[in-house]
Amino acid sequence: MSNLEDLYREVILDHYRSPRNRGELETPPALRVEGFNPLCGDEVVVYLLVDNGVLTDIKMTGHGCSISQSSSSLMSAAVKGKSLEQVRGLITTFKTLMTVHESSIDSSEPPPLQDVRALGELAALQGVVKFPVRIKCATLAWNTLNQGLDELSAID
Amino acid sequence: MTTFDPRLVRADTPLLTRIINGRPITYLDSAASSLPPRPVIDAMSRHYERQHANVHRGVYQTANESTQSYEGAREAIARFIHAPAGGEEIVFTKNATEGFNLLAKSWAASNLRSGDVVLVSEMEHHANIVPWFQLRESIDIEVRFIPVGDDYRLDLGNIDELMKGVRLVSVTAMSNVLGTVTPLKQLARIAHEHDALIAVDAAQLVGHAPSDVVDLDVDFFIFSAHKMLGPTGLGILWTRRDILNTMPPFLGGGGMIADVSTSGYVPAKGPTRFEAGTPPIAEAAGLSAAVTYLEGLGMENVARHDRDLTQDALSRIDDEFGGRVRIVGPVDTDHRGGVISLDVEGVHAHDVAQVLDQFGVCVRPGHHCAKPLMKRFNLTATARASFGPYSLVSDTDVLLEALTDAVKLFG
Ligand SMILES: Cc1ncc(COP(=O)(O)O)c(C=O)c1O
């Protein structure tokens, strides 16, 4: 049953049970972005407050499985207070982590990645790659955040 | 006399010998698709090995055999659902979904006018909702919903009001989410009293209980072969011959014509009018074998087996988990079939299904293509277990073992 333990790490269950940065921000000044997974009905709403190129606050609502909800919570904790450039960097790193490397699915080796450590608690989500159908659960919040950043830079 | 022993059905079903995650597979997803027994698989192989040829046009021996086998499947299905005029009333489609599209785009598009009402229910599969909304885009019909009560059954309290302006009642025989069985005879009587026709989504019924379109007194009966131990890629629409003969063609092309010239075409008579292009010939051979197999089991026996398994599972889930695992559907087996939707407190359906997979248990998480129903009960997803004629009480044992683990993990 080691596989399942790879997926449902304690950190993930903790963020699922007590999600961080849960709630709403006033819009405007905050930006509100919605993300859906039409196949399973998972939903996240991200509120972003940006000041001077820094993501000063982030709040999230929504519902879904433990993977989508814990990924949202972990993401919010990781990006809050970071510069937009750093946030974009984290999104890229996280999405690389979620990329399925055919050869590594069956091995216990994580995908070759220099900065997994930089991800901190987020690295707990790397077990998801072994469950390909769940990857979209983990990336939902990140894609929504990315969409929000695109909307912000379109406004500028 | 028919004999029925689910252990023999299991022995006939090759897929059930698989080992998943180190455990024998526990297949509890027959509502999504049933597993074909050996005779069905063999019939399809035999078709390809011995007689495959295109239907209806050849004069050589195998082309004749192929045509006979394809037309024979129409007769087999007609017998199975007691179609009064036999195979002439059986249209083959791709699946139940295409059956509803045929009903909407052929019969309804040519019979309904702006302002007419199609009455469906809140517990329909999207297959019996979306085609009506699509029709609404071209003819301004109203799509009205029979509400579902807190007892998970159709609420017919206001039916006379609901019937105003209705030309077609289109309802499921059994909900693929709640397991609820609907009162088809009563609905047929109400529809006919109001000069409306009634169409039935029989997808969840035909593989699980006897079906008799004359006894039910319905006008359309639509289902899929793959939910009655048959192959994918083949669905069935039955309607009375007098209705069928007035329905305009749906898709155009070869096979559906009586004549074509440079100035136009004349559609064929009978069901082939709706079967443009090369049909699923091997699948039809598989369906005939599925019908023969189910007749051998006896549909009364299959229905009783479903009921026994469901009764046992419902009471054990309740005993074991109490409020932690809620059954989303009627608890009384007089009003339900063998589809059991579970809502596990604090655990999302996808996580439930993921933990169950570790035990080799196949259940389906999600909205089951019935989003209006999910919304009615404020749910986003349930984990659904469903039985087939090969299911055993031991499948429920494994389900309970795995559920215990899921509840513990998310504690
Ligand atoms: C009640 C009901 N209606 C219609 C369908 C659609 O069947 P198919 O996908 O074979 O067209 C299903 C299957 O999911 C169903 O359960």
Side-chain angles (χ1 to χ4, degrees):
Chain A
M1 228 120 290
S2 65
N3 265 354
L4 212 52
E5 278 152 21
D6 278 348
L7 184 65
Y8 296 124
R9 304 249 171 98
E10 202 39 58
V11 179
I12 292 179
L13 293 177
D14 173 47
H15 276 259
Y16 178 51
R17 290 188 194 113
S18 10
R20 322 293 197 263
N21 301 302
R22 190 101 185 143
E24 302 178 3
L25 293 174
E26 198 184 327
T27 55
L31 176 75
R32 180 181 188 277
V33 216
E34 288 180 2
F36 293 101
N37 186 333
L39 285 180
C40 59
D42 284 6
E43 183 187 320
V44 297
V45 184
V46 184
Y47 295 85
L48 303 172
L49 190 66
V50 175
D51 185 28
N52 233 335
V54 174
L55 184 61
T56 51
D57 203 358
I58 178 168
K59 288 257 190 275
M60 329 238 338
T61 62
H63 52 78
C65 67
S66 62
I67 302 302
S68 75
Q69 298 306 299
S70 64
S71 183
S72 308
S73 171
L74 283 157
M75 178 186 85
S76 70
V79 299
K80 190 169 163 175
K82 297 266 181 353
S83 74
L84 293 191
E85 203 178 322
Q86 285 173 312
V87 173
R88 287 218 187 257
L90 267 173
I91 294 175
T92 311
T93 310
F94 184 75
K95 295 200 65 170
T96 315
L97 181 74
M98 285 298 119
T99 309
V100 185
H101 299 276
E102 290 298 334
S103 56
S104 64
I105 288 186
D106 293 327
S107 76
S108 52
E109 294 299 311
L113 198 77
Q114 295 81 353
D115 35 17
V116 169
R117 257 198 222 108
L119 287 170
E121 281 198 320
L122 280 173
L125 282 163
Q126 66 182 307
V128 175
V129 221
K130 291 184 188 158
F131 298 81
V133 292
R134 304 302 294 278
I135 292 175
K136 60 183 172 29
C137 310
T139 52
L140 177 63
W142 296 80
N143 289 334
T144 312
L145 173 63
N146 204 22
Q147 186 193 328
L149 295 187
D150 287 349
E151 283 177 27
L152 283 170
S153 58
I155 295 166
D156 284 349
Chain B
M1 264 307 284
T2 51
T3 54
F4 175 71
D5 182 346
R7 287 165 305 177
L8 298 180
V9 184
R10 199 178 193 90
D12 281 342
T13 310
L15 202 143
L16 291 174
T17 60
R18 276 205 61 179
I19 303 294
I20 306 281
N21 291 323
R23 318 241 330 201
I25 189 169
T26 296
Y27 189 76
L28 290 171
D29 199 18
S30 294
S33 203
S34 56
L35 302 177
R38 176 61 71 195
V40 170
I41 300 167
D42 285 350
M44 291 172 60
S45 301
R46 202 164 49 242
H47 170 84
Y48 280 123
E49 286 171 13
R50 301 287 303 162
Q51 68 179 28
H52 182 68
N54 212 330
V55 289
H56 296 148
R57 286 171 285 274
V59 293
Y60 51 86
Q61 169 118 6
T62 52
N64 280 336
E65 289 171 5
S66 205
T67 303
Q68 266 172 21
S69 151
Y70 182 70
E71 293 301 325
R74 252 191 250 286
E75 297 303 330
I77 275 295
R79 191 175 72 227
F80 192 61
I81 64 169
H82 301 91
E88 277 175 64
E89 298 182 332
I90 302 295
V91 180
F92 284 137
T93 62
K94 186 171 65 176
N95 45 37
T97 302
E98 191 181 282
F100 278 98
N101 279 275
L102 171 58
L103 176 63
K105 285 160 179 108
S106 170
W107 180 83
S110 61
N111 279 280
L112 301 191
R113 309 262 167 285
S114 172
D116 284 347
V117 179
V118 173
L119 184 65
V120 300
S121 86
E122 271 181 340
M123 61 167 86
E124 298 310 313
H125 188 280
H126 296 165
N128 186 24
I129 298 177
V130 180
W132 305 117
F133 284 142
Q134 288 180 324
L135 184 64
R136 192 174 69 177
E137 290 163 14
S138 52
I139 311 174
D140 191 21
I141 59 159
E142 183 191 336
V143 186
R144 198 177 285 163
F145 289 79
I146 304 174
V148 176
D150 290 337
D151 58 358
Y152 302 106
R153 294 164 60 193
L154 293 184
D155 177 358
L156 300 178
N158 220 0
I159 193 68
D160 285 329
E161 194 58 36
L162 285 171
M163 281 304 297
K164 290 203 171 124
V166 171
R167 299 283 313 281
L168 178 73
V169 176
S170 191
V171 287
T172 188
M174 174 170 138
S175 163
N176 66 317
V177 180
L178 307 172
T180 309
V181 172
T182 57
L184 288 181
K185 280 193 185 181
Q186 184 188 357
L187 289 165
R189 185 163 33 76
I190 293 169
H192 293 150
E193 277 167 10
H194 290 80
D195 289 326
L197 295 187
I198 178 167
V200 175
D201 178 349
Q204 295 294 342
L205 178 71
V206 280
H208 298 272
S211 296
D212 184 330
V213 293
V214 175
D215 182 48
L216 290 172
D217 194 22
V218 295
D219 303 298
F220 298 93
F221 208 65
I222 295 171
F223 51 102
S224 283
H226 71 94
K227 293 190 207 270
M228 50 178 291
L229 310 185
T232 56
L234 182 57
I236 296 94
L237 177 143
W238 167 84
T239 185
R240 291 198 317 267
R241 191 165 42 175
D242 57 312
I243 299 175
L244 191 89
N245 287 339
T246 63
M247 285 166 59
F250 170 43
L251 302 169
M256 52 72 73
I257 50 97
D259 190 25
V260 184
S261 68
T262 50
S263 53
Y265 81 100
V266 181
K269 296 226 179 311
T272 52
R273 177 159 80 255
F274 305 102
E275 298 172 6
T278 300
I281 309 166
E283 285 74 7
L287 178 61
S288 289
V291 166
T292 306
Y293 191 85
L294 285 172
E295 286 171 339
L297 300 181
M299 291 312 294
E300 290 288 357
N301 297 330
V302 172
R304 185 164 4 89
H305 178 59
D306 251 15
R307 198 155 52 234
D308 292 347
L309 284 172
T310 305
Q311 185 96 65
D312 169 72
L314 292 178
S315 64
R316 281 164 74 198
I317 290 168
D318 191 47
D319 286 352
E320 196 104 2
F321 301 103
R324 278 231 59 185
V325 179
R326 193 166 64 91
I327 289 148
V328 186
V331 283
D332 180 350
T333 45
D334 284 346
H335 301 296
R336 59 136 57 241
V339 169
I340 305 178
S341 260
L342 302 174
D343 182 26
V344 183
E345 189 183 51
V347 194
H348 192 275
H350 284 95
D351 295 314
V352 174
Q354 190 83 62
V355 176
L356 266 51
D357 174 59
Q358 288 296 304
F359 291 78
V361 176
C362 312
V363 300
R364 184 150 298 249
H367 54 62
H368 316 295
C369 295
K371 290 193 93 169
L373 179 70
M374 301 301 278
K375 187 145 191 225
R376 158 70 181 84
F377 288 104
N378 244 324
L379 292 162
T380 51
T382 67
R384 182 188 72 185
S386 51
F387 297 117
Y390 33 67
S391 301
L392 302 174
V393 167
S394 57
D395 293 324
T396 305
D397 297 343
V398 188
L399 172 69
L400 291 183
E401 180 194 351
L403 272 176
T404 306
D405 210 62
V407 168
K408 197 157 68 199
L409 179 64
F410 287 87

